[in-house]
Amino acid sequence: MTAWPRIFVYYLCGVFAAAQLGKLAALAPLISRDLHLGLAAMAALTSLLEVSGALLGGAAGRHLPRFGLQRGLAFAMLALALGAGGAALAQGVPLVTVARLCESLGYLVTVVAAPVLIATAAPPQRQAAAMTLWSTFVPVGMAFGAFAYAQAAGLSNWRWAQGLSVAVGLALAAGLLAMQAHTERAAPQPPAGPTPALRQRTGAPLWLLVASFGVYALAEVGLLALMPSLLTRAGLPLAEAGAWTAAAALANVPASVIGARLTRRPGFVPRALVLSLLVSGALYPLAFAFGAPPVQLAVAAVLTNLASGVFASLVFALLPRVAGSPDRLSLASGRLTQFGASGALLGPPLIGSIVERAGWQAAGATCLALSAVAAGLAWFSSRRPSATADSSARQPC
């Protein structure tokens, strides 16, 4: 199989994993009514998808190469299918929680392994473009999940709708295992020497870049999580507020196109990283300016995500370079997953608590400050030389 079909399969795995975020958003009213769950419990179940990434992202990046990234991705698809099947059979909170944690493990392995496989499969001159494509998997997956599972539930019920995850997960796992078998037949001899995963090291550029991404996620996910509440309180109907929120999330897709074009000018990339965050930071107060016309708030939120999405796409494009070597790319992906998932977990409660204590304007100012911090970290990351994998002066992390 040539490079781009393989890349497309890996990308589909990411979209399918991210669709499990949109799935629970679409099915939440039906699940909460059937299982007698409150709003807080449903929100907790939704956020559980990021728990494994926040806790185990670094460990997954370090040890997955020993198991095999493509094989691991196939088992991740099986875990997502198994979790969905378990949720469909659940009669109470405990089994739903266990099922969601199973999906969380599948999501973790997907977001660590798939970008490494994409970067490895892509031709060197197209690697940055392939990685910016990968950066769109969350908004595309969330949009697909929210639409597809709502339609499936409308045709049956929320339990049968989970069957969509079971079918797609099994199909993707079978395809990945077939690709793995073909690869092993074509190159049956494994590379000589020990697997380098346990000896990998990370340098300052990677730590600064993933920290910047984590701070970015705090603000960006916080805005998306609170956007429906903000717009409905400003006077929009819930359906219209949801449509604007989806548009804001999908703004990352055209942002990735901008990012892909910027990678053709390597000298401009460090400034583009910072500029993207500063522009989005300046827009956050407008997006949180409660009292302004609701459409103005919605448009500001869409533009905020468009601007910050350029940063996200460039981070994924830069990941192979800041990793320092192909052997360290899995570890770099794990670190990025851990910081991004931590930001996604902490962002909504952090920004929500600021709104409750100090108002919407204070939330906008906080997101502006977070964007400035992220911009500083990104700038210092781009200014430092990449660490090499054989740098004996650095300690393993």
Side-chain angles (χ1 to χ4, degrees):
M1 185 182 291
T2 58
W4 286 106
R6 297 176 71 90
I7 290 170
F8 182 67
V9 171
Y10 301 144
Y11 177 73
L12 281 183
C13 291
V15 170
F16 171 60
Q20 308 315 302
L21 288 166
K23 174 184 76 174
L24 215 61
L27 302 181
L30 302 175
I31 296 174
S32 61
R33 184 175 67 239
D34 192 12
L35 300 183
H36 308 289
L37 300 178
L39 183 62
M42 285 307 306
L45 282 175
T46 302
S47 68
L48 278 179
L49 198 69
E50 297 280 7
V51 165
S52 293
L55 296 177
L56 303 172
R62 184 178 295 277
H63 295 293
L64 263 177
R66 300 178 64 191
F67 181 72
L69 293 174
Q70 188 161 291
R71 188 180 295 109
L73 188 57
F75 280 94
M77 297 299 102
L78 292 175
L80 291 170
L82 178 63
L89 300 174
Q91 299 299 321
V93 175
L95 184 52
V96 172
T97 302
V98 172
R100 194 62 171 170
L101 288 174
C102 183
E103 290 181 328
S104 177
L105 286 171
Y107 184 82
L108 162 64
V109 175
T110 302
V111 298
V112 172
V116 180
L117 290 167
I118 288 173
T120 304
Q125 69 275 18
R126 303 299 295 165
Q127 187 182 67
M131 293 300 284
T132 56
L133 170 68
W134 170 252
S135 72
T136 67
F137 81 98
V138 169
V140 172
M142 288 184 67
F144 171 79
F147 175 79
Y149 290 96
Q151 297 300 313
L155 294 173
S156 53
N157 57 49
W158 72 268
R159 295 182 186 277
W160 281 106
Q162 298 278 2
L164 184 60
S165 287
V166 176
V168 175
L170 291 176
L172 286 172
L176 288 164
L177 291 174
M179 289 165 55
Q180 177 74 20
H182 180 269
T183 301
E184 290 175 351
R185 285 195 302 269
Q189 295 299 322
T195 301
L198 296 177
R199 298 294 181 182
Q200 291 170 335
R201 296 172 172 82
T202 53
L206 176 61
W207 280 111
L208 289 168
L209 188 67
V210 299
S212 176
F213 189 77
V215 177
Y216 145 83
L218 276 172
E220 194 260 352
V221 178
L223 170 62
L224 287 177
L226 294 179
M227 197 174 162
S229 298
L230 171 63
L231 295 179
T232 53
R233 294 186 186 186
L236 287 184
L238 180 58
E240 191 173 347
W244 277 111
T245 303
L250 287 171
N252 278 286
V253 177
S256 72
V257 177
I258 298 173
R261 291 186 176 275
L262 289 173
T263 58
R264 300 175 185 176
R265 302 175 59 190
F268 185 70
V269 167
R271 283 174 287 175
L273 284 169
V274 175
L275 186 62
S276 168
L277 290 168
L278 293 181
V279 170
S280 62
L283 289 169
Y284 275 114
L286 299 178
F288 281 107
F290 189 75
V295 174
Q296 177 181 317
L297 300 178
V299 171
V302 171
L303 293 176
T304 300
N305 279 274
L306 177 63
S308 65
V310 174
F311 164 78
S313 67
L314 290 174
V315 167
F316 282 102
L318 288 173
L319 196 62
R321 182 175 70 82
V322 297
S325 72
D327 291 341
R328 299 171 65 243
L329 186 53
S330 177
L331 180 59
S333 180
R335 294 299 181 200
L336 187 65
T337 296
Q338 190 157 25
F339 275 77
S342 298
L345 272 177
L346 297 175
L350 171 65
I351 305 303
S353 64
I354 290 172
V355 170
E356 290 180 349
R357 294 174 180 271
W360 293 101
Q361 287 78 10
T366 300
C367 289
L368 169 58
L370 289 171
S371 297
V373 171
L377 291 169
W379 177 254
F380 284 116
S381 172
S382 65
R383 294 294 90 191
R384 295 180 66 96
S386 296
T388 57
D390 60 352
S391 177
S392 59
R394 296 189 179 93
Q395 296 297 319
C397 55

